[in-house]
Short mmCIF file of all heavy atoms in Angstrom, two decimals:
data_model
loop_
_atom_site.label_atom_id
_atom_site.label_comp_id
_atom_site.label_asym_id
_atom_site.label_seq_id
_atom_site.Cartn_x
_atom_site.Cartn_y
_atom_site.Cartn_z
N GLU A 1370 -15.47 -11.97 8.31
CA GLU A 1370 -16.13 -12.72 9.34
C GLU A 1370 -16.01 -14.11 9.00
O GLU A 1370 -16.68 -14.63 7.96
CB GLU A 1370 -17.58 -12.26 9.52
CG GLU A 1370 -17.66 -10.91 10.06
CD GLU A 1370 -19.01 -10.54 10.59
OE1 GLU A 1370 -20.01 -11.45 10.63
OE2 GLU A 1370 -19.24 -9.44 10.99
N ASN A 1380 -25.16 -21.60 9.77
CA ASN A 1380 -26.15 -20.40 9.86
C ASN A 1380 -27.05 -20.39 11.18
O ASN A 1380 -27.19 -21.62 11.68
CB ASN A 1380 -27.01 -20.37 8.55
CG ASN A 1380 -27.71 -19.09 8.51
OD1 ASN A 1380 -27.51 -18.10 9.13
ND2 ASN A 1380 -28.70 -18.98 7.67
N GLY A 1381 -27.39 -19.38 11.68
CA GLY A 1381 -27.99 -19.38 12.96
C GLY A 1381 -28.79 -18.06 12.96
O GLY A 1381 -28.55 -17.07 12.19
N PRO A 1382 -29.51 -17.84 14.06
CA PRO A 1382 -30.32 -16.51 14.28
C PRO A 1382 -29.30 -15.40 14.65
O PRO A 1382 -28.33 -15.62 15.30
CB PRO A 1382 -31.19 -16.83 15.39
CG PRO A 1382 -30.59 -17.95 16.12
CD PRO A 1382 -29.90 -18.82 15.08
N GLY A 1383 -29.64 -14.10 14.25
CA GLY A 1383 -28.76 -12.90 14.67
C GLY A 1383 -27.63 -12.87 13.77
O GLY A 1383 -27.26 -13.55 12.82
N ASP A 1384 -26.71 -11.98 14.22
CA ASP A 1384 -25.42 -11.70 13.47
C ASP A 1384 -24.31 -12.53 14.17
O ASP A 1384 -24.01 -12.42 15.28
CB ASP A 1384 -25.14 -10.17 13.67
CG ASP A 1384 -23.85 -9.83 12.85
OD1 ASP A 1384 -23.22 -10.72 12.16
OD2 ASP A 1384 -23.34 -8.75 13.11
N GLN A 1385 -23.62 -13.40 13.40
CA GLN A 1385 -22.69 -14.37 13.90
C GLN A 1385 -21.26 -13.88 13.36
O GLN A 1385 -21.23 -13.57 12.06
CB GLN A 1385 -22.85 -15.71 13.45
CG GLN A 1385 -24.22 -16.19 13.99
CD GLN A 1385 -24.48 -17.70 13.20
OE1 GLN A 1385 -24.08 -18.60 13.78
NE2 GLN A 1385 -25.18 -17.65 12.16
N ARG A 1388 -19.55 -15.97 10.51
CA ARG A 1388 -20.18 -16.13 9.16
C ARG A 1388 -20.48 -14.84 8.48
O ARG A 1388 -21.04 -13.96 9.00
CB ARG A 1388 -21.61 -16.91 9.43
CG ARG A 1388 -22.26 -17.29 8.21
CD ARG A 1388 -23.53 -18.08 8.48
NE ARG A 1388 -24.25 -18.46 7.29
CZ ARG A 1388 -24.07 -19.59 6.64
NH1 ARG A 1388 -23.02 -20.39 6.95
NH2 ARG A 1388 -24.69 -19.82 5.55
N TRP A 1389 -20.28 -14.85 7.20
CA TRP A 1389 -20.64 -13.68 6.43
C TRP A 1389 -22.03 -13.72 5.95
O TRP A 1389 -22.39 -14.66 5.13
CB TRP A 1389 -19.59 -13.55 5.15
CG TRP A 1389 -19.82 -12.36 4.33
CD1 TRP A 1389 -20.45 -12.03 3.36
CD2 TRP A 1389 -19.24 -11.04 4.80
NE1 TRP A 1389 -20.31 -10.74 2.79
CE2 TRP A 1389 -19.55 -10.11 3.71
CE3 TRP A 1389 -18.46 -10.56 5.84
CZ2 TRP A 1389 -19.21 -8.77 3.72
CZ3 TRP A 1389 -17.98 -9.27 5.84
CH2 TRP A 1389 -18.39 -8.39 4.86
N GLU A 1390 -22.88 -12.90 6.45
CA GLU A 1390 -24.35 -12.88 6.26
C GLU A 1390 -24.89 -11.91 5.44
O GLU A 1390 -26.03 -11.65 5.31
CB GLU A 1390 -25.01 -12.90 7.61
CG GLU A 1390 -24.53 -14.13 8.41
CD GLU A 1390 -24.75 -13.85 9.94
OE1 GLU A 1390 -24.04 -12.98 10.50
OE2 GLU A 1390 -25.48 -14.64 10.63
N PHE A 1391 -24.05 -11.12 4.79
CA PHE A 1391 -24.57 -9.94 3.98
C PHE A 1391 -25.26 -10.48 2.69
O PHE A 1391 -24.79 -11.43 2.16
CB PHE A 1391 -23.34 -9.08 3.57
CG PHE A 1391 -23.69 -7.79 2.71
CD1 PHE A 1391 -24.00 -6.62 3.30
CD2 PHE A 1391 -23.60 -7.95 1.29
CE1 PHE A 1391 -24.50 -5.55 2.50
CE2 PHE A 1391 -24.01 -6.86 0.51
CZ PHE A 1391 -24.36 -5.65 1.17
N PRO A 1392 -26.32 -9.96 2.35
CA PRO A 1392 -27.06 -8.72 2.67
C PRO A 1392 -28.04 -8.79 3.77
O PRO A 1392 -28.58 -7.75 4.28
CB PRO A 1392 -27.68 -8.18 1.45
CG PRO A 1392 -28.11 -9.49 0.74
CD PRO A 1392 -27.03 -10.45 1.06
N ARG A 1393 -28.29 -9.97 4.37
CA ARG A 1393 -29.28 -10.17 5.47
C ARG A 1393 -28.76 -9.32 6.62
O ARG A 1393 -29.63 -8.75 7.30
CB ARG A 1393 -29.51 -11.48 5.87
CG ARG A 1393 -30.47 -11.76 6.87
CD ARG A 1393 -30.83 -13.33 7.05
NE ARG A 1393 -29.64 -13.97 7.64
CZ ARG A 1393 -29.27 -14.05 8.99
NH1 ARG A 1393 -30.02 -13.29 9.81
NH2 ARG A 1393 -28.26 -14.66 9.39
N VAL A 1394 -27.40 -9.37 6.82
CA VAL A 1394 -26.85 -8.63 7.92
C VAL A 1394 -25.70 -7.65 7.25
O VAL A 1394 -25.07 -8.17 6.43
CB VAL A 1394 -26.29 -9.51 9.00
CG1 VAL A 1394 -25.47 -8.76 10.05
CG2 VAL A 1394 -27.34 -10.27 9.59
N ASN A 1395 -25.70 -6.48 7.62
CA ASN A 1395 -24.69 -5.55 7.15
C ASN A 1395 -23.36 -5.86 7.80
O ASN A 1395 -22.92 -5.14 8.79
CB ASN A 1395 -25.10 -4.05 7.32
CG ASN A 1395 -24.08 -3.10 6.68
OD1 ASN A 1395 -23.22 -3.53 5.90
ND2 ASN A 1395 -24.13 -1.85 6.91
N ASP A 1396 -22.70 -6.88 7.21
CA ASP A 1396 -21.47 -7.26 7.83
C ASP A 1396 -20.28 -6.32 7.37
O ASP A 1396 -19.15 -6.54 7.96
CB ASP A 1396 -21.00 -8.75 7.30
CG ASP A 1396 -21.91 -9.74 8.01
OD1 ASP A 1396 -22.20 -9.48 9.23
OD2 ASP A 1396 -22.22 -10.81 7.46
N TYR A 1397 -20.44 -5.38 6.61
CA TYR A 1397 -19.42 -4.38 6.37
C TYR A 1397 -19.19 -3.37 7.43
O TYR A 1397 -18.22 -2.56 7.55
CB TYR A 1397 -19.74 -3.58 5.10
CG TYR A 1397 -19.53 -4.39 3.84
CD1 TYR A 1397 -20.60 -5.13 3.14
CD2 TYR A 1397 -18.18 -4.68 3.29
CE1 TYR A 1397 -20.44 -5.81 2.04
CE2 TYR A 1397 -18.11 -5.35 2.20
CZ TYR A 1397 -19.08 -5.98 1.45
OH TYR A 1397 -18.88 -6.74 0.49
N THR A 1398 -20.16 -3.35 8.44
CA THR A 1398 -19.86 -2.51 9.71
C THR A 1398 -18.70 -3.18 10.52
O THR A 1398 -18.46 -4.33 10.46
CB THR A 1398 -21.11 -2.36 10.56
OG1 THR A 1398 -21.47 -3.63 11.05
CG2 THR A 1398 -22.17 -1.86 9.72
N LYS A 1404 -13.56 -4.01 6.98
CA LYS A 1404 -14.18 -5.23 6.79
C LYS A 1404 -14.41 -5.52 5.28
O LYS A 1404 -14.69 -4.53 4.59
CB LYS A 1404 -15.58 -5.37 7.33
CG LYS A 1404 -15.54 -5.30 8.94
CD LYS A 1404 -15.36 -6.77 9.57
CE LYS A 1404 -16.66 -7.52 9.37
NZ LYS A 1404 -17.74 -7.14 10.20
#
Side-chain angles (χ1 to χ4, degrees):
E1370 293 195 3
N1380 197 9
D1384 184 10
Q1385 301 172 84
R1388 183 179 180 85
W1389 189 259
E1390 298 155 296
F1391 184 84
R1393 183 174 66 84
V1394 176
N1395 184 7
D1396 285 327
Y1397 285 103
T1398 64
K1404 292 274 286 296

